[in-house]
Amino acid sequence: MLDVQSIYIIHGEDAKRMVIESLEKLELFKELSPTMRIGIKPNIVLEKHSSSGATTSVDLIDGVVEYLKMKGFNNITILESSGIGHNTQLAYKVTGLDKVALKHNIELIDLKGQPTVTLSYKDFNVQVFKKVQEIDYLINMPVVKAHCQTNITCALKNLKGLIPDNEKRRFHRDRLHRPIAYLNKIINTDLIIADGIMGDLTFEEGGNPVRMDRVLIAKDPVLIDRFVAESIGYDPKEVAHVDISATLGVGKSKIDKAKIVELNAPVKKQELYKRSYLIESLAKKIREREACSICYGSLIFALKRLKDNGKIIKNTDYIYIGQGYKDFVGEGVGVGNCTKGFSKFLQGCPPNANSIVEFLEQNL
Ligand code: SF4
């Protein structure tokens, strides 16, 4: 049986086989009933295959669905809304998730444009897609990744795909951490199956894939996110949404009593996964106020491209980005529609990394 205090780890490369074997061992079926509507929330933040390190492995999702169907649970829905400016339908195609859904004859929902309902916890209100309320048992399937604004992204932040784009923008205006924690107080995750087969320890958007060859299973999102933060080299205190979630009582376990249960031995010696300091050094050129992750991530990516191309950015040159500059009028170089008051700015909401590279080449 799944113990709420435990994080289960299975090592290997064959995501599908690994997850089926793990769920068998952990007897997941004992938590479920045939009438339950089971929701799977992957991380399909953008139109990139999981080999990029950005999105959940479809083999892993395939394994979860196959296990559930083998046990007679057929009422399964996969649901997601990709990041701001990205197309969920196209992302389903690129990742191959559309084929998995077709093969198993299960519902694959693009939440973008679907009706929403306002839900609350204390003074915090948020619009959530109505479909979420139809789910009886939510399986959260994030990717183990770094994030350019929150340092890491795993289970807690993955629920942001269950709210519409206008709310995602508001979350960024509110600095992400508190709203993410409160969202997790409103939407309950029943099980987390985190893709640590291939992650990205530099960017949320992938492009620097790191093979980690492991899948993490847990019931408590705070527990698993703390573990992921520590295993990449962050003090959990550096990931404020984990800390706030713990204070709010998201999750059901006692953090100091967490148990790590390895379901098999690693095939090869496990490397130590290191936090990347690249983002921190590139970010020194940015003056950010309430920027959306997609916009900010594209700017970081563009700065990396410029650095790789040998472009030297002067110490006195800064690039401004974010919703907090909407009312600003004055001198400077801005990226995105929010900075239209700057003397030089790049249009787009969000602009893509290529256009940012061209713009900065001409304007810095
Ligand atoms: S321009 Fe960028 S920061 Fe501003 S709203 Fe659009 S995506 Fe967000």
Side-chain angles (χ1 to χ4, degrees), residues 84-85 149 168-169 172-173 288-296 321-326 335-339 346-351:
I84 297 165
Q149 291 164 303
K168 290 185 188 120
R169 285 195 181 90
H172 287 280
R173 284 199 299 278
E288 177 256 349
R289 275 191 209 158
E290 302 156 24
C292 302
S293 305
I294 296 281
C295 211
Y296 188 85
I321 188 167
Q323 300 173 75
Y325 290 111
K326 273 184 178 163
V335 166
N337 288 355
C338 292
T339 59
L346 175 67
Q347 280 191 353
C349 181

Side-chain angles (χ1 to χ4, degrees), residues 44-244:
I44 309 292
V45 62
L46 78 179
E47 307 85 347
K48 280 189 184 173
H49 190 261
S50 62
S51 54
S52 69
T55 50
T56 310
S57 155
V58 284
D59 292 336
L60 190 65
I61 300 168
D62 191 17
V64 173
V65 176
E66 196 154 307
Y67 169 84
L68 293 171
K69 295 211 101 180
M70 273 186 322
K71 298 290 178 194
F73 306 109
N74 295 306
N75 198 351
I76 305 165
T77 302
I78 299 175
L79 61 175
E80 173 68 299
S81 81
S82 298
I84 297 165
H86 290 282
N87 180 327
T88 317
Q89 301 274 3
L90 183 60
Y92 283 156
K93 274 199 181 71
V94 173
T95 54
L97 202 48
D98 57 344
K99 292 196 180 68
V100 171
L102 200 65
K103 179 173 92 173
H104 293 290
N105 190 26
I106 59 168
E107 201 176 16
L108 178 66
I109 298 179
D110 171 5
L111 290 171
K112 287 205 185 198
Q114 295 264 344
T116 60
V117 58
T118 302
L119 301 178
S120 310
Y121 176 70
K122 293 190 173 169
D123 63 340
F124 179 82
N125 304 311
V126 62
Q127 287 173 62
V128 172
F129 289 111
K130 269 189 175 165
K131 285 276 174 199
V132 177
Q133 290 188 308
E134 295 170 16
I135 301 298
D136 301 307
Y137 189 95
L138 183 64
I139 304 179
N140 182 351
M141 296 189 66
V143 183
V144 173
K145 285 189 288 187
H147 189 276
C148 54
Q149 291 164 303
T150 56
N151 290 337
I152 67 133
T153 168
C154 192
L156 292 162
K157 192 170 165 297
N158 196 35
L159 294 196
K160 202 154 74 70
L162 300 177
I163 58 172
D165 284 2
N166 61 320
E167 286 288 30
K168 290 185 188 120
R169 285 195 181 90
R170 177 174 66 110
F171 272 36
H172 287 280
R173 284 199 299 278
D174 294 344
R175 317 300 304 174
L176 285 173
H177 294 290
R178 181 178 178 270
I180 288 172
Y182 276 74
L183 180 65
N184 276 270
K185 201 65 193 164
I186 289 168
I187 302 176
N188 182 53
T189 292
D190 295 287
L191 180 69
I192 302 119
I193 303 177
D195 180 358
I197 299 282
M198 186 78 84
D200 192 316
L201 306 185
T202 309
F203 289 110
E204 184 192 21
E205 286 84 13
N208 304 270
V210 178
R211 271 214 90 88
M212 293 176 280
D213 289 340
R214 50 161 100 169
V215 172
L216 311 174
I217 300 177
K219 286 191 66 69
D220 185 331
V222 177
L223 212 60
I224 199 165
D225 279 19
R226 278 183 66 99
F227 175 77
V228 165
E230 279 172 353
S231 59
I232 298 176
Y234 288 99
D235 183 320
K237 294 250 175 270
E238 291 179 89
V239 189
H241 62 272
V242 178
D243 225 29
I244 301 168

